[in-house]
């Protein structure tokens, strides 16, 4: 059996795909159960966070394992396999170990060095243990990943290379102002009472907000978080809990809103945010998006599409769903299209002429779409992007929204509202994409490499242990048989003489087996040493079933501790 991981993350897939592929708690349970029920897999664990979904398994066949795990991910995520495949990555054996250790150290996080991933790995292992889908390999792997992550944080300054997602998100909201200075005196509304929401509440409380209001579907959990915040010696914040149906009223009082729930749909629509802003200002909120930036005549009279005869036939887009100010020939129109549809769209655009009231020329649009088609042919799909917001024209924000959920809790359209600043997973990814790598990151990478080598050596050495045990068991059986035969042939020997003979024979066998068994364990721990177990079985004619029985007995007696 060999370790295999199939997954997708913020590094391989756009946020829109990660949102749709997000797994609920029930879906994760079913995915684990179906994975271990599949033929190629013997063990399974799911690591599902706000920006990654990974399925780990111990498989006996690589290609069959990749196919099965990819299919199961697609089935349980609700994203078709054909659409999901271009965004999937695969790691096998040592590369899979290296990947998980890197994830545990925060090297693969959206914000390099963030430590929350350790808690998520711990939860992932606990879930697999509760469902009995984690055997010896995954227990060893995830336990060691937790130790490697803790070592990286304790021995290096990886924490300085990046902050937790919560801290980084608050810094993005503060726009260059120190978070304590920005947060001082503000009122915060926290939607959700899970680990991420709790961390956000505690961070804001320490930063100096005047009040924290916690809303959660389970009111008791909201009350518990509010009690913890109120009783903490680290802050003097006032905290209280409300039910979810009170969120609309609390929005009009809040200055900062942090949302991180497990909801599959939007928790806050753009309309709800606009209503809250209007409740604070007493005036209708303006939309500062591209549509609002256009002249009134263009928004109300200009056609949304530009073809030769003004006809829409053969257009690959759903024109009925087109929003005001949306050009069917711009980049926003083709975001997320597959290559084939993009080519059809380019041909449709090239066959038309442009209305003179449109700002772009048909040649420019055709050239842009042709370039995008070339990109789609290479990567399979154009990543979805929000339309650029005219920052210079926006008034200073006074209502701050931080969406840490995946799929998102807050409508992305809220970022266009005047006076509103929205930071979500997508904008955090963009802001942290060019973060500088510190020397500490290189040090962590060396730790990961060393730990991967050590883990591989230990696993290879452990692989030969059942064979060595079976060999020594066979030798003990041979000694016992010969001593019994000697007892029958020399009945006049007294007990002292028999004991001396038994000890002598045992010493001879032990000395003969000691050097080769110690050496074979050393050799097996080296890369490519897996064949030594087979050689030992062949040389001593060991029964494969005997070796397998020793292995099964070892697995059944292994203590599967909860992750520390």
């Amino acid at each position: 059996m060999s370790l295999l991981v199939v997954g997708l993350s913020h590094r391989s897939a756009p946020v829109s795909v990660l949102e749709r592929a997000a797994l609920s708690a029930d879906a994760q349970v079913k995915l684990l159960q179906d994975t271990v029920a599949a033929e190629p897999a013997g063990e399974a664990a799911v690591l599902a966070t706000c920006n990654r979904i990974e399925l780990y398994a111990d498989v006996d066949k690589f290609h069959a394992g990749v196919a099965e795990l990819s299919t199961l991910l697609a089935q349980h995520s609700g994203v078709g396999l054909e659409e999901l495949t271009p965004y999937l990555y695969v790691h096998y054996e040592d590369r899979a170990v290296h990947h998980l250790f890197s994830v545990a150290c925060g090297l693969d996080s959206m914000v390099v060095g963030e430590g929350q991933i350790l808690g998520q790995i711990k939860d992932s292992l606990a879930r697999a243990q509760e469902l009995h889908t984690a055997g010896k390999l995954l227990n060893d792997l995830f336990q060691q990943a937790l130790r490697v992550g803790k070592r990286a944080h304790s021995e290096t300054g990886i924490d300085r290379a990046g902050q937790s997602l919560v801290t980084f998100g608050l810094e993005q909201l503060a726009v260059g102002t120190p978070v304590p200075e920005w947060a001082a005196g503000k009122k915060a509304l926290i939607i959700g009472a899970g680990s991420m929401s709790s961390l956000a509440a505690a961070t804001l409380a320490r930063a100096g907000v005047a009040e924290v209001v916690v809303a959660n579907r389970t009111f008791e959990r909201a009350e518990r978080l509010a009690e913890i915040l109120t009783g903490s010696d680290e802050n003097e914040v006032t905290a209280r809990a409300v039910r979810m149906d009170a969120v609309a009223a609390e929005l009009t009082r809040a200055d900062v809103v942090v949302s991180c729930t497990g909801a599959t749909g939007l928790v806050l629509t753009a309309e709800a945010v606009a209503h809250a802003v209007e409740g604070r200002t007493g005036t209708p909120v303006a939309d500062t998006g591209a549509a609002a930036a256009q002249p009134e005549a263009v928004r109300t009279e200009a056609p949304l599409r530009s073809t030769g005869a003004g006809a829409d036939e053969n257009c690959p887009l759903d024109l009925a769903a087109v929003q005001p100010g949306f050009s069917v020939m711009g980049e926003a129109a083709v975001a997320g299209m597959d290559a084939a549809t993009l080519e059809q769209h380019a041909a449709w655009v090239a066959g038309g002429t442009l209305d003179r009231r449109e700002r772009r020329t048909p040649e420019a649009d055709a050239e842009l779409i042709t370039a995008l088609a070339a990109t789609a042919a290479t990567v399979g799909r154009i990543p979805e992007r929000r339309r650029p917001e005219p920052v210079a024209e926006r008034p200073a924000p006074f209502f701050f929204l931080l969406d840490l959920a995946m799929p998102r809790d807050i409508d992305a359209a809220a970022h266009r509202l005047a006076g509103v600043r929205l930071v979500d997973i997508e904008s955090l990814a963009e802001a942290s994409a060019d973060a500088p790598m510190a020397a500490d990151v290189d040090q962590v990478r060396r730790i990961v490499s060393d730990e991967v080598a050590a883990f591989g050596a230990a696993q290879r050495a452990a692989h030969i242990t059942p064979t060595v045990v079976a060999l020594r068991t066979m030798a003990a059986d041979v000694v016992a048989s010969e001593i019994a035969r000697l007892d029958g042939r020399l009945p006049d020997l007294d007990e002292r003489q028999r004991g001396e003979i038994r000890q002598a024979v045992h010493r001879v066998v032990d000395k003969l087996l000691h050097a080769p068994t110690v050496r074979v364990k050393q050799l097996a721990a080296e890369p490519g040493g897996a064949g030594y177990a087979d050689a030992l079985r062949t040389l001593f004619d060991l029964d494969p079933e005997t070796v397998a029985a020793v292995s099964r007995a070892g697995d059944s007696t292994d203590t599967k501790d909860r992750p520390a």
Side-chain angles (χ1 to χ4, degrees):
M1 302 291 277
S2 300
L3 179 65
L4 174 67
V5 56
V6 177
L8 67 160
S9 73
H10 64 283
R11 295 187 183 277
S12 69
V15 172
S16 57
V17 174
L18 283 172
E19 278 187 322
R20 292 167 52 213
L23 297 171
S24 66
D26 290 341
Q28 292 179 44
V29 170
K30 192 66 168 63
L31 174 58
L32 285 173
Q33 293 171 337
D34 288 353
T35 301
V36 294
E39 183 178 343
E43 305 177 31
V46 173
L47 179 57
T49 73
C50 60
N51 53 28
R52 77 178 62 250
I53 303 164
E54 296 177 343
L55 178 56
Y56 291 78
D58 188 11
V59 300
D60 56 4
K61 298 175 183 177
F62 172 73
H63 293 292
V66 172
E68 188 66 33
L69 266 59
S70 301
T71 300
L72 288 169
L73 269 178
Q75 288 176 350
H76 291 279
S77 70
V79 180
L81 180 59
E82 184 177 347
E83 181 181 357
L84 193 64
T85 298
Y87 305 116
L88 294 177
Y89 47 77
V90 174
H91 299 296
Y92 190 55
E93 295 188 325
D94 283 354
R95 290 301 308 169
V97 176
H98 189 281
H99 175 73
L100 181 59
F101 287 4
S102 297
V103 169
C105 293
L107 292 179
D108 197 58
S109 295
M110 188 176 292
V111 180
V112 175
E114 63 95 7
Q116 285 178 302
I117 187 65
L118 285 174
Q120 293 161 334
I121 292 174
K122 179 180 176 181
D123 292 342
S124 176
L125 176 57
R127 184 185 305 108
Q129 288 174 334
E130 290 169 2
L131 296 171
H132 305 290
T133 64
K136 178 172 175 52
L137 175 60
L138 292 186
N139 270 283
D140 290 349
L141 174 69
F142 275 67
Q143 291 279 10
Q144 188 60 26
L146 291 170
R147 286 189 281 268
V148 173
K150 291 176 182 177
R151 179 188 169 192
H153 284 280
S154 64
E155 295 183 11
T156 76
I158 187 66
D159 294 324
R160 296 192 298 267
Q163 308 85 1
S164 73
L165 207 57
V166 169
T167 304
F168 189 63
L170 293 177
E171 289 181 351
Q172 294 301 301
L173 285 181
V175 200
T177 304
V179 171
E181 180 181 333
W182 166 82
K186 285 185 168 59
K187 297 178 180 179
L189 171 62
I190 309 296
I191 304 177
S195 58
M196 189 78 79
S197 299
S198 299
L199 178 60
T203 303
L204 284 167
R206 288 195 299 268
V209 295
E211 180 185 44
V212 174
V213 178
V214 183
N216 193 59
R217 296 187 189 282
T218 304
F219 182 65
E220 291 72 20
R221 294 189 64 184
E223 282 187 312
R224 177 59 181 155
L225 178 53
E227 290 172 1
I228 292 173
L229 292 172
T230 303
S232 175
D233 295 331
E234 297 182 9
N235 59 75
E236 299 179 357
V237 71
T238 299
R240 57 188 175 87
V242 299
R243 301 185 185 278
M244 286 296 288
D245 56 11
V247 165
E250 294 296 337
L251 281 175
T252 61
R253 302 179 64 254
D255 303 300
V256 184
V257 178
V258 180
S259 187
C260 187
T261 73
T264 55
L266 292 176
V267 174
L268 293 181
T269 64
E271 290 75 15
V273 175
H275 182 73
V277 173
E278 290 174 9
R280 294 168 60 96
T281 63
T283 58
V285 62
D287 187 323
T288 63
Q294 293 179 14
E296 186 66 25
V298 174
R299 294 208 307 271
T300 58
E301 300 175 9
L304 294 175
R305 47 199 173 274
S306 339
T307 60
D312 337 336
E313 62 250 34
N314 301 322
C315 178
L317 299 178
D318 179 10
L319 295 175
V322 169
Q323 299 298 314
F326 182 92
S327 168
V328 297
M329 294 182 295
E331 184 175 352
V334 298
M337 274 191 186
D338 59 74
T341 307
L342 194 57
E343 289 175 1
Q344 294 175 5
H345 186 262
W348 179 78
V349 170
T353 60
L354 191 70
D355 189 283
R356 284 175 295 183
R357 287 172 290 186
E358 292 279 0
R359 292 175 292 174
R360 297 181 61 90
T361 65
E363 292 80 8
D365 277 315
E367 183 177 338
L368 171 62
I369 292 173
T370 300
L372 290 171
T375 302
T378 302
V379 302
R381 183 173 292 273
I382 297 295
E384 193 164 332
R385 295 177 56 189
R386 291 193 315 206
R387 304 178 69 182
E389 57 182 66
V391 178
E393 301 175 11
R394 292 174 63 89
F398 56 83
F399 194 41
F400 301 89
L401 307 174
L402 178 57
D403 185 358
L404 298 174
M406 183 63 69
R408 73 185 76 204
D409 279 348
I410 304 175
D411 190 344
H415 83 285
R416 297 199 305 263
L417 301 175
V420 175
R421 178 165 178 78
L422 168 64
V423 172
D424 56 17
I425 293 296
E426 182 179 6
S427 54
L428 282 176
E430 294 170 355
S432 63
D434 299 323
M437 293 290 101
D440 297 301
V441 173
D442 292 331
Q443 187 178 352
V444 171
R445 286 174 176 156
R446 288 192 292 272
I447 289 175
V448 169
S449 296
D450 292 345
E451 291 284 356
V452 169
F455 184 83
Q459 290 295 307
R460 289 187 290 270
H463 178 69
I464 204 170
T465 298
T467 303
V468 173
V469 171
L471 174 60
R472 288 190 172 277
T473 301
M474 184 190 76
D477 291 343
V478 171
V479 169
S481 176
E482 289 302 315
I483 292 296
R485 192 164 67 89
L486 185 64
D487 287 344
R489 297 178 68 177
L490 299 173
D492 296 332
L493 293 175
D494 60 33
E495 191 57 37
R496 184 185 64 81
Q497 292 170 326
R498 294 178 189 280
E500 288 290 341
I501 292 173
R502 280 195 295 269
Q503 289 182 11
V505 174
H506 277 295
R507 281 196 298 270
V508 170
V509 172
D510 286 342
K511 287 182 178 180
L512 287 174
L513 290 181
H514 176 72
T517 53
V518 169
R519 183 59 180 149
V520 79
K521 285 184 178 181
Q522 294 172 342
L523 293 171
E526 298 175 359
Y532 286 101
D534 294 333
L536 207 59
R537 287 193 295 269
T538 301
L539 288 172
F540 288 92
D541 195 24
L542 297 176
D543 182 3
E545 182 53 36
T546 301
V547 175
V550 173
S551 181
R552 288 194 295 270
D555 287 346
S556 66
T557 56
D558 278 334
T559 57
K560 297 179 179 179
D561 298 330
R562 289 290 178 191

